[in-house]
Amino acid sequence: ETTHPACTDFVRALHCPGASLVSLAFDARSQLARGARLALYADAACTQQLLCCEGDGLLCSEGLWVRADRVWLHYTAPHNSERAWGFKLRATPVGWRARSQAAALALPHASPLDLLSLLAERRPKELLRPSVLANLLRYLRSGGAPCKERVCHVLLRVLPHATLRDVDFDWARFGSLEAIVEWHEELYERQRVPPLLPAGSQAMLDLLVDLRERLRAEGLPLWEAALPYLDEIAELSSLSKWLLLPPGSGAEPPPPSLRHAARASGVDGAAGAARAEVARALAAWEPRLDEELVRYVDSQHGSAHGG
């Protein structure tokens, strides 16, 4: 980690004793000054380069996995007139070396995450207990917790096996993850870097979208989304999944968007009675009405042009 703002050149080693595989991830605030250079090497002599970033070429959303227990960082910055923040790099052991089975059992490796993956595959209902869900959510909301994307992927594997209404858990609590995604987006917008979310935040967004799809499918209430585009992503995701189904699957297309229909009819944000009226209109809509609507639009278009 550099000072903040960054101003010092250095060569430093990151060491995770006993690790066979290390995950490297940059803090989302990382920003290099113009002319600065950050390189990662696999050897102390800095001859085997793994990664090199210069100036604004540092993408915090990118991660790197290294099959070693040690890497060397070589950072140079001739000046920092714009007072760039610098960088912070976190190394997380993912795999461990063991000389025997007894040594393997004694290692502090990421067995909880491996156990979560195993439970998701063999006993998914065990992960749907309210206490387990609450602890997983607490982990995702923890600022320094590593490998959040793995926890999200486990939950994404479990949700298809769940009937959400039968789980005694307030699913709206997952809405608190929106603040983390929104923070990263605002940070990247201020830094004017490509809008690529870090792996953990992107996985949280995927989880939120999938969870809202499942809640909607079961007719359960949705929490009020803080991210303005969350429902649009969920609807697009549902439509994409339906379009990717093989022909003749017999699956019904996703229902039309009540929110978009209400907005188009001028009752967006209106009272519940107006929304209910739109809902009834959508429920009564039939495919044959599409053809009539097209003919009507064609006739109006032709009469407007003297046809």
Side-chain angles (χ1 to χ4, degrees):
E1 178 178 0
T2 62
T3 56
H4 308 296
C7 60
T8 306
D9 298 357
F10 64 78
V11 176
R12 189 171 300 172
L14 271 177
H15 188 206
C16 298
S20 62
L21 182 64
V22 174
S23 172
L24 303 176
F26 286 98
D27 188 283
R29 294 166 291 181
S30 298
Q31 183 183 29
L32 302 183
R34 293 191 185 94
R37 182 177 185 273
L38 171 63
L40 274 64
Y41 295 91
D43 62 324
C46 295
T47 60
Q48 303 176 32
Q49 183 174 290
L50 302 172
L51 176 71
C52 181
C53 303
E54 297 183 1
D56 57 3
L58 176 63
L59 294 180
C60 303
S61 59
E62 292 185 352
L64 180 66
W65 288 38
V66 179
R67 291 194 174 278
D69 63 351
R70 193 191 310 256
V71 295
W72 282 261
L73 286 75
H74 187 192
Y75 175 70
T76 57
H79 58 81
N80 188 9
S81 57
E82 65 268 32
R83 298 180 63 81
W85 191 78
F87 73 88
K88 181 177 181 180
L89 182 65
R90 175 179 288 110
T92 305
V94 179
W96 298 85
R97 286 194 297 267
R99 300 181 183 277
S100 65
Q101 185 175 3
L105 293 174
L107 283 174
H109 54 73
S111 56
L113 294 174
D114 296 335
L115 178 59
L116 284 177
S117 298
L118 182 62
L119 286 173
E121 180 181 349
R122 301 294 179 87
R123 301 288 295 274
K125 291 184 178 180
E126 295 296 325
L127 296 178
L128 293 171
R129 291 187 294 176
S131 59
V132 176
L133 290 170
N135 284 320
L136 292 177
L137 178 58
R138 188 178 300 113
Y139 182 89
L140 292 175
R141 293 172 58 181
S142 175
C147 303
K148 293 182 181 180
E149 63 276 10
R150 292 189 62 185
V151 176
C152 291
H153 293 162
V154 165
L155 289 170
L156 285 168
R157 291 170 59 187
V158 168
L159 284 178
H161 301 279
T163 302
L164 302 187
R165 64 175 66 255
D166 294 338
V167 181
D168 186 20
F169 186 78
D170 181 10
W171 296 103
R173 293 170 60 183
F174 276 91
S176 60
L177 299 179
E178 291 185 46
I180 300 175
V181 178
E182 189 174 25
W183 181 81
H184 277 114
E185 287 190 333
E186 292 177 353
L187 179 65
Y188 286 0
E189 184 176 350
R190 289 197 302 269
Q191 294 181 350
R192 296 182 180 179
V193 299
L196 299 174
L197 292 173
S201 295
Q202 181 61 58
M204 289 183 200
L205 182 58
D206 294 340
L207 175 61
L208 291 171
V209 169
D210 197 80
L211 179 57
R212 289 177 72 87
E213 284 184 15
R214 294 301 312 280
L215 290 171
R216 185 180 289 108
E218 294 190 24
L220 298 176
L222 303 177
W223 68 85
E224 189 69 27
L227 294 171
Y229 53 78
L230 191 59
D231 287 323
E232 280 80 356
I233 293 178
E235 290 171 1
L236 182 60
S237 174
S238 297
L239 181 60
S240 300
K241 291 176 181 177
W242 178 73
L243 291 173
L244 290 173
L245 291 174
S249 63
E252 291 292 327
S257 168
L258 171 60
R259 185 184 62 264
H260 288 167
R263 185 182 304 159
S265 61
V267 299
D268 191 36
R275 286 185 174 273
E277 183 63 31
V278 174
R280 284 193 291 271
L282 287 175
W285 191 269
E286 299 178 4
R288 63 178 181 80
L289 297 178
D290 292 339
E291 297 180 5
E292 295 184 15
L293 180 60
V294 170
R295 285 196 295 269
Y296 174 77
V297 172
D298 287 342
S299 66
Q300 295 297 311
H301 180 74
S303 61
H305 291 77

